[in-house]
Amino acid sequence: MAALEMVPVVSGSRDGRFAKILIWTGGTILVVVALAAIFAPLLSSWGPKEIDPNGTLAAPGGEHLLGSDGNGMDVWSRVLHAARIDLGIAICAVALAVVVGTLLGMLAGYLGGWVDDGLMRIVDIFQAFPTFILALAVSALLGGGFVNLVITIAAVNAPAYARLVRAEVRTLREMQYIDAAKTSGASTIGIMWRHLLPNSLTPVRVIAPLNCGWAMLTLAGLSFLGLGVTVPTAEWGSMISLGTSDVVAGRWWTSVPPGLALLVCVLGFSLLGEGLQERAEARRR
Amino acid sequence: MTAPAGTPGREAAMTVSLLDIQDLSVVIHRPGRSVAALSNVSFTVAPGEVVGLVGESGGGKSMVARAIVGMLPNGSHATGRVGFDGADVLRMDPADLAAHRGRGAAICFQNPRGALSPTRTVGRQLIDRLVTHQKMTGDRAAESAKELFASVGIRNPGRRLEAFPHELSGGMAQRVMISLATGCAPGLLIADEPTTGLDVTLTREILRQFRHAADTDGRGVLLISHDLASIAEVCDRVVVLYAGTVVETGPAAKVLREPAHPYTRALLRSVPDVNGGRVVPTAGGMPLMTAAPHDCPFAPRCAHAGEDCRTARPETTSLTDGWSLACFHPQETALFAPQEAAPASPSDPAPLPDPQGGSSVAPGASVTADNAEQAGRVVLRVQDAHVVYRSRFGSGGHHALRGVDLELRAGETLGVVGESGCGKSTLAKLIMGLVEPSSGSVAVAGKTVGKMSRVERTRAQMVFQDPIGSLSPRRTVADSIAEPLRAAKVPADARAAKTEAALSRMELDNSILTRYPHELSGGQAQRVGIARALVGQPDLIVFDEPTSALDVTVQAQILDVIADVASDAGHGSVFISHDLATVRGFADRVVVLYLGRVVEEGPVDEVFDRPKHPYTRALLGSAPRLGESRTAEVQLVKDLDEADAATGCALAARCPFVTDTCRSQEQTLQSYGESRAACWRVPELTALIGKSA
């Protein structure tokens, strides 16, 4: 009997398992990189700024695991130590951008009126410039150093969060639970802190990891151009910059390892961000 | 497995059935869980027949509709047969399915404005459809589009064809949707909750369109609804679904008057009646089936359930006249006594453990003597309040309230009724201080709302329409309930004690305190909402359509709780609803709003039994009544959106008794006995209605 056989409808969309794989892969990569950064001194026999007078541009193998650069510094050790700077600056900068952007976005979105107009025009000014050009200008203004670089990259990214959170808050403030909070006697700050903040952060949670990857690229780009971290401090962008001339001469080991490190790290952030986004979508279904 | 026992009914024997669903089961597999959406569903629809598919959400109504048009969700596994004109929809190939969807079966969706493409005129959308499915030429299609619009009761069809979906009111959009569905001349028309969200005066009109489609064109119509009472009038037969199983099938009149399955009875008893009949709540909610049931899925909520119900699933057995049901203990007593809707026999299910159950629906008994002096104080006074929503740019705006006067004392319950757009919600927001009056004043417990401190404002509390949406998604239940106390700076331990007290009054377990809103059912969430309103012992509670988002049996449970809360002597209650019957249940006085004006007010029995204003009569005439045939006294002539009154009576454009005086001058509220109404023609009205009938 035809009626007894089962008619399946094939599932076309991805489910939560795919998201899980992405999150785990991205997370694992980042944890490995972070561990490498933390235990860098134990993993390499040379210091990051230590110069081997006998071995400039030594090929990989032998005394230097990944060879040494033109200054005679150990590439492996520098790649590991650079993770501290790159990861540190990227995460701090994004954290700062999230805090500042969320605060501005929430004020603009909830209060509306001239506060909104004023804040959003400032955001417009920031967003009118291409991100990297703006980063160049700000870092040229502030100069290098860990704190200044964090501020530079945060300043470039904060406006996007301000817009995101503002849009979210504009929708949320019309929700019934905000009316319910008002009639329960909650103050404006109470409503923002207790109701708007926790509910408006959902998209931020998804964007922030992706943003960490971009922040890392911005930092590397600045350093590559000599505006970020400079030699002798180990940083992937400046290492690549230093090694460009060597590549032409066939000495790939000075710039390829930091480049690969950067790639893996950004990939980790991207996978994590994509995974979070997938999970959010899977939950919505 | 339960096989469809016997061919259901006369119709099937007399005519060839158009739709023949046999033993349809659908299991949806999702990672981590599977849901048995339908289990062995069988029923038929013949051409020219209107079949109602009834049940609460989760019952599988929409899944049936999806199965008929071959749009089962991803990951579902179907067995059985969805016979349509001899073919099996479940096993059609994509090309046949595409043809079947347009010409075989067409769907009218619940949200018509969402189902219409927003950037194209409705005429264009209809003509396109005619050209594709009917192979008409452009001119011919435009002609028949006009005819189709006229046939669904759209006035001025030529002009409406040019309209964009956002320019249409809900009722008009649903009419367009019907014309789109009928345009391809389908054999079967499926309407998925076509009147949800529409006003009572429109609901009947839209439902009639479906009856019309069946009668004139011989289409089969499958009318899906959660509300048995309102669709029963136009249906030939009804099919009642519960947890994915068909529990009762039969002729509409039979099932509506003498339902035999305990669930059908529970469903009908949960609907409040405009005549003031008592609501009998049934505890519990619909279970989510993970596999086809091996017992009676209703057994845990059923008062008649015996051991057999819990061990075996009742087979579908035929009674008379195509009436069949799946129950071991069919009930035979009449659900409603003739004429009056009195509480039925004591054997009926009322298992809600409610010690104060007696206080539920007795309006007069709300004020007890020892609370008399407390009950006397005025808790709400609204004087000549106007609200104008101004547009941000330039002049103009929407005049939502036009001079409303209200007074409410502690212990009293005031019902506010009217169609959507009449200013009900604005009134609620005005009282709560969420909008400022443009002129006039609002005072709660003697203090002007605009001048209150934050803590004083918590003296008025509100219970919202959307139970889950009114709770902050990332705050626990405990946090939400205690919010008014936090504002009043009540210390944490006292807060916890009061929260638990409020919770136990709502018959909720303390374990719910740590949960988040999305983990709650609609009924639980609304109980939490009421607990939040009660916890600070306010002077005034405003209920803004508190049950309209809930399922019928849950609605009855919540109404029972609200009736109990509203009868407290310590505070006054305002109960806002578009549903007259729920207001009748427990309001002492009632106010009828129309376009921001009070058109009639008075004691609830007076207004409902002896309405003065034509608008009130029209509303009452449109309300569904159980167990009796209705007599519509006054029929309004147009939809609300078509009526724009610059001067004179606001109802003038829609009122069948309009005179020149009505068009030029507005009447103020005049006393007629115990109630007051604003209409020039009240004295002559009884005679006028007699003449027109």
Side-chain angles (χ1 to χ4, degrees), chain B residues 225-383:
Chain B
S225 177
H226 63 278
D227 189 356
L228 179 47
S230 67
I231 66 158
E233 192 186 358
V234 296
C235 291
D236 297 311
R237 288 191 300 123
V238 292
V239 177
V240 184
L241 280 181
Y242 184 79
T245 62
V246 175
V247 295
E248 185 161 4
T249 319
K254 208 86 171 158
V255 175
L256 190 67
R257 300 269 167 78
E258 310 155 40
H261 195 283
Y263 176 64
T264 319
R265 296 171 74 86
L267 208 56
L268 283 167
R269 268 162 206 289
S270 303
V271 182
D273 181 27
V274 233
N275 292 331
R278 195 189 150 133
V279 169
V280 183
T282 306
M286 193 175 305
L288 186 69
M289 310 305 292
T290 52
H294 297 294
D295 52 0
C296 174
F298 189 62
R301 300 174 71 188
C302 182
H304 310 287
E307 206 40 52
D308 43 352
C309 303
R310 293 182 188 97
T311 51
R313 183 164 155 203
E315 300 240 326
T316 309
T317 46
S318 279
L319 302 174
T320 51
D321 270 358
W323 187 12
S324 62
L325 77 161
C327 183
F328 290 124
H329 309 280
Q331 301 301 303
E332 278 160 18
T333 49
L335 187 60
F336 298 101
Q339 292 305 315
E340 243 182 311
S345 65
S347 70
D348 289 316
L352 191 77
D354 178 13
Q356 294 118 325
S359 71
S360 344
V361 217
S366 54
V367 186
T368 45
D370 43 325
N371 284 320
E373 86 280 2
Q374 220 227 332
R377 76 203 165 95
V378 174
V379 290
L380 171 69
R381 180 170 281 142
V382 180
Q383 284 173 321

Side-chain angles (χ1 to χ4, degrees), chain A residues 2-12 15 117 176-177 179-180 182-187 194-195 198-199 202 205, chain B residues 31 74-78 80 90-91 432 434 454 458 461 464 466 469-475 483-484 486-487 532:
Chain A
L4 287 176
E5 56 184 82
M6 193 174 276
V7 183
V9 179
V10 192
S11 171
D15 52 35
D117 289 340
Q176 278 193 354
Y177 64 84
D179 275 352
K182 280 188 203 162
T183 60
S184 300
S187 61
R194 292 171 50 80
H195 300 290
N199 292 311
T202 316
R205 260 189 284 262
Chain B
N74 288 331
S76 52
H77 291 254
L90 289 179
R91 291 161 184 85
M432 298 310 298
L434 295 171
R454 280 202 289 120
T458 65
Q461 283 294 312
F464 293 83
D466 176 3
S470 66
L471 299 173
S472 194
R474 290 186 190 273
R475 292 274 154 210
E483 184 126 32
R486 177 191 297 273
R532 168 171 64 189

Side-chain angles (χ1 to χ4, degrees), chain B residues 603-652:
Chain B
V604 68
D605 291 334
E606 181 71 16
V607 173
F608 277 60
D609 291 337
R610 287 169 291 280
K612 303 293 183 296
H613 200 280
Y615 180 65
T616 316
R617 286 175 191 262
L619 280 184
L620 285 167
S622 311
R625 281 159 206 263
L626 287 175
E628 60 175 277
S629 54
R630 60 165 125 219
T631 46
E633 290 185 321
V634 177
Q635 292 264 337
L636 296 181
V637 291
K638 286 178 181 173
D639 292 354
L640 184 60
D641 68 313
E642 297 172 288
D644 44 337
T647 56
C649 178
L651 194 66

Side-chain angles (χ1 to χ4, degrees), chain B residues 26-37:
Chain B
V26 175
V27 181
I28 304 169
H29 295 286
R30 290 274 159 80
R33 72 195 156 107
S34 40
V35 179

